[in-house]
Amino acid sequence: MTITSHLSELKRKHEALSEMVEAAQRSPGADDLSIVEMKKQKLRIKEEMARLQN
């Protein structure tokens, strides 16, 4: 896998997680712990993208 394709996949995962977090935050019965975990995963992906871009 090239760096470019890996970055594209990471961006896709980041976008999907963003949508999941937003949907969970709008849901009245959302589990706060799962939202926190999704946000942490999103941050890890963002950090990896930054590392690969440098």
Side-chain angles (χ1 to χ4, degrees), residues 2 13-15 17 22 25-26 33 35-36 43 45:
T2 66
K13 287 180 181 181
H14 190 269
E15 290 287 325
L17 277 169
E22 288 177 21
Q25 287 175 330
R26 286 190 301 257
L33 186 57
I35 292 172
V36 168
L43 181 59
I45 290 171

Side-chain angles (χ1 to χ4, degrees), residues 21 31-42:
V21 167
D31 179 22
D32 289 339
L33 186 57
S34 65
I35 292 172
V36 168
E37 286 302 316
M38 284 188 284
K39 286 182 175 183
K40 285 180 183 179
Q41 186 176 2
K42 207 173 123 180

